[in-house]
Amino acid sequence: MRSKKFLKAEQAQLVWDVPGLVAGVDEAGRGPLAGPVVAAAVILDDLKPIKGLADSKQLTALRRERLYDEIRAKALCCSIAQASVEEIDQLNILQATLLAMRRAVLGLRLKPTKVLVDGNRLPALDVLAEAIVSGDALVPCISAASILAKVTRDRMLRELHLQHPEYGFDRHKGYGTAEHLRALQAHGALPVHRRSFAPVARALAQVNDAHGVRA
């Protein structure tokens, strides 16, 4: 008779060591005060290795851009999705992030047998999935996803800068830097600002107080 310990180990192998395509998933833009949260899913091609994959935050902007092009050219398939500012304010940033991740996975041309997600929370998926803390620095397919997500979002914020240069989006990418907070106080919040985030809510309250409008 097999021991319970052996059965447990065998079950773990059957569940997690499933052969087939593996997709890495990561996001960019959970912390900023403005803009969407962007997620990417990537299935790499073992026959076309990509050198230098790493956590996107540890790479220079130029290196990220070059790797972005290489990933798009060499990956078996990839998908980039987002959750809007309105969805972030309605759902909260965690749920909006998980929604963007789910959209990215569903957008893949090929269906993976397993999904590896950076962090400690998983989106709702109909395939096996595993959350890996610091996965963007440990797992190549997650690193690739982090690069696609960050480059895509950074490009969005540079476009936003062209429309509203007074906010400095090209420099802080929507994060709550001192420069960004000063711009919020001086110019108020734009439609792309996340109203559920405290610094934006305070800026809106100051504008309302200045105009005698009750929240």
Side-chain angles (χ1 to χ4, degrees), residues 158-169:
R158 287 197 294 271
E159 287 293 323
L160 189 59
H161 172 75
L162 298 178
Q163 302 171 39
H164 304 281
E166 67 274 17
Y167 287 84
F169 288 119

Side-chain angles (χ1 to χ4, degrees), residues 48-61:
K48 298 178 181 178
I50 301 172
K51 294 182 179 180
L53 291 175
D55 175 4
S56 62
K57 297 183 291 296
Q58 304 303 317
L59 301 169
T60 65

Side-chain angles (χ1 to χ4, degrees), residues 67-88:
L67 282 170
Y68 176 96
D69 292 337
E70 189 173 359
I71 294 164
R72 295 298 298 261
K74 291 184 175 180
L76 282 177
C77 63
C78 52
S79 170
I80 301 171
Q82 62 180 281
S84 67
V85 171
E86 292 77 16
E87 288 171 324
I88 292 169

Side-chain angles (χ1 to χ4, degrees), residues 26 44 53-56 58 116-119 130-144 146:
D26 201 3
L44 293 175
L53 291 175
D55 175 4
S56 62
Q58 304 303 317
L116 304 178
V117 180
D118 181 61
E130 181 180 357
I132 302 177
V133 175
S134 300
D136 51 0
L138 301 171
V139 182
C141 60
I142 300 179
S143 299
S146 77

Side-chain angles (χ1 to χ4, degrees), residues 28-207:
R30 282 188 64 172
L33 308 180
V37 59
V38 176
V42 179
I43 299 177
L44 293 175
D45 187 346
D46 293 338
L47 300 179
K48 298 178 181 178
I50 301 172
K51 294 182 179 180
L53 291 175
D55 175 4
S56 62
K57 297 183 291 296
Q58 304 303 317
L59 301 169
T60 65
L62 179 60
R63 184 62 179 147
R64 283 196 299 267
E65 289 282 348
R66 289 176 175 171
L67 282 170
Y68 176 96
D69 292 337
E70 189 173 359
I71 294 164
R72 295 298 298 261
K74 291 184 175 180
L76 282 177
C77 63
C78 52
S79 170
I80 301 171
Q82 62 180 281
S84 67
V85 171
E86 292 77 16
E87 288 171 324
I88 292 169
D89 287 338
Q90 290 170 7
L91 301 174
N92 74 47
I93 184 58
L94 172 59
Q95 294 304 318
T97 298
L98 296 176
L99 177 61
M101 288 180 168
R102 172 177 166 79
R103 287 170 174 166
V105 174
L106 293 177
L108 287 169
R109 177 177 57 84
L110 303 172
K111 185 170 182 175
T113 56
K114 185 175 180 181
V115 174
L116 304 178
V117 180
D118 181 61
N120 58 7
R121 300 293 294 270
L122 292 172
L125 300 169
D126 63 352
V127 297
L128 291 174
E130 181 180 357
I132 302 177
V133 175
S134 300
D136 51 0
L138 301 171
V139 182
C141 60
I142 300 179
S143 299
S146 77
I147 292 166
L148 293 193
K150 181 163 178 56
V151 170
T152 298
R153 192 178 187 282
D154 284 355
R155 289 176 178 178
M156 289 179 176
L157 272 291
R158 287 197 294 271
E159 287 293 323
L160 189 59
H161 172 75
L162 298 178
Q163 302 171 39
H164 304 281
E166 67 274 17
Y167 287 84
F169 288 119
D170 61 328
R171 294 182 292 278
H172 54 67
K173 304 300 188 296
Y175 283 88
T177 63
E179 176 191 12
H180 193 182
L181 295 177
R182 286 194 298 270
L184 270 174
Q185 292 176 350
H187 306 292
L190 296 167
V192 295
H193 279 103
R194 302 172 181 179
R195 280 151 171 72
S196 56
F197 280 42
V200 179
R202 285 195 295 268
L204 288 169
Q206 290 173 356
V207 172

